Amino acid sequence: TQLLEQSPQFLSIQEGENLTVYCNSSSVFSSLQWYRQEPGEGPVLLVTVVTGGEVKKLKRLTFQFGDARKDSSLHITAAQPGDTGLYLCAGASGGSNYKLTFGKGTLLTVNP
Amino acid sequence: DTEVTQTPKHLVMGMTNKKSLKCEQHMGHRAMYWYKQKAKKPPELMFVYSYEKLSINESVPSRFSPECPNSSLLNLHLHALQPEDSALYLCASSPRPGLISGANVLTFGAGSRLTVL
């Protein structure tokens, strides 16, 4: 069974602060997705990383895929209240083609 | 159209009721999925349809019955549910079955919030 350990599970910060969310596994993934989900809504895809060592930027969000494709991080610069939500990482591997292995999520609250 | 539409948004049902959740996409996607999500937990895969055929059933109890009438529609029929089945039910689709990758990603609907009394 593949597991994705996501940390921290909860994070409450003030507007303007920086933060990093981590997603780690002992398994290799062919790709890893990051989603953001607001209460009562479905997850919205933020980014997909596929190449080891890849870095992608989406405005104030920076995503990195580890060289060995076993881990990923999401860094948010100067967080804003609108960044509040549940951040989920999800990995896909060739062994379970149809399945995404989800991390447990990071519930982020950015206070004004 | 780049959306997955789910109805109803909210559903309250008794344990003896029969109801259905509906999911629709017009993106030409040939893989569709049902996920169950409890509060503050990640989504859990229930079923996968590939080219309108059920390809994966994650040992879901038979009180949940999926149906894929055509390539755009996915239903989840509910019968004799238990209170612990209360959750957000998410539908998703992807361009094709198989490896989830940069070119073949899931698009989720907004979900149907189910409460079983």
Side-chain angles (χ1 to χ4, degrees):
Chain A
T1 303
Q2 294 179 309
L3 291 174
L4 266 173
E5 298 289 337
Q6 194 171 338
S7 62
Q9 208 170 335
F10 301 95
L11 191 54
S12 180
I13 61 172
Q14 294 300 120
E15 183 176 0
E17 293 183 5
N18 302 332
L19 67 115
T20 302
V21 177
Y22 299 93
C23 194
N24 297 298
S25 177
S26 57
S27 303
V28 175
F29 291 99
S30 57
S31 70
L32 199 138
Q33 286 82 41
W34 284 93
Y35 294 85
R36 178 170 161 266
Q37 185 177 20
E38 296 193 26
E41 299 292 329
V44 175
L45 181 67
L46 297 173
V47 78
T48 300
V49 285
V50 296
T51 306
E54 183 176 6
V55 177
K56 282 192 174 179
K57 292 194 175 186
L58 188 66
K59 295 183 181 178
R60 293 175 294 100
L61 279 60
T62 302
F63 304 85
Q64 187 160 7
F65 202 13
D67 290 340
R69 290 186 288 134
K70 293 182 179 181
D71 54 88
S72 181
S73 64
L74 157 61
H75 183 79
I76 301 180
T77 304
Q80 299 176 1
D83 295 326
T84 294
L86 180 67
Y87 288 82
L88 294 159
C89 63
S93 64
S96 301
N97 288 350
Y98 294 86
K99 298 185 189 182
L100 286 179
T101 299
F102 278 92
K104 290 189 175 182
T106 296
L107 189 59
L108 171 65
T109 303
V110 182
N111 303 298
Chain B
D1 189 348
T2 58
E3 288 186 345
V4 174
T5 303
Q6 290 187 243
T7 54
K9 185 123 178 106
H10 299 277
L11 178 62
V12 179
M13 60 186 290
M15 289 189 284
T16 58
N17 292 158
K18 283 186 180 181
K19 297 286 185 183
S20 297
L21 306 180
K22 184 177 176 181
C23 174
E24 195 166 359
Q25 58 87 14
H26 296 287
M27 295 179 280
H29 289 181
R30 302 310 299 275
M32 296 186 78
Y33 310 77
W34 279 115
Y35 282 84
K36 174 183 176 180
Q37 186 178 26
K38 291 282 207 178
K40 299 179 183 177
K41 300 290 185 185
E44 297 174 4
L45 182 66
M46 299 175 73
F47 303 104
V48 180
Y49 272 82
S50 305
Y51 299 103
E52 297 89 67
K53 292 193 188 315
L54 182 65
S55 57
I56 290 182
N57 176 341
E58 289 287 286
S59 302
V60 179
S62 59
R63 57 186 185 268
F64 295 91
S65 175
E67 178 197 19
C68 190
N70 59 57
S71 60
S72 300
L73 284 175
L74 186 66
N75 299 320
L76 186 62
H77 302 299
L78 314 170
H79 175 55
L81 295 193
Q82 303 296 312
E84 59 265 29
D85 296 321
S86 299
L88 182 68
Y89 287 84
L90 294 163
C91 175
S93 68
S94 63
R96 59 185 183 277
L99 183 64
I100 306 297
S101 66
N104 190 38
V105 294
L106 265 61
T107 300
F108 283 89
S112 292
R113 172 73 59 191
L114 174 67
T115 302
V116 182
L117 301 176

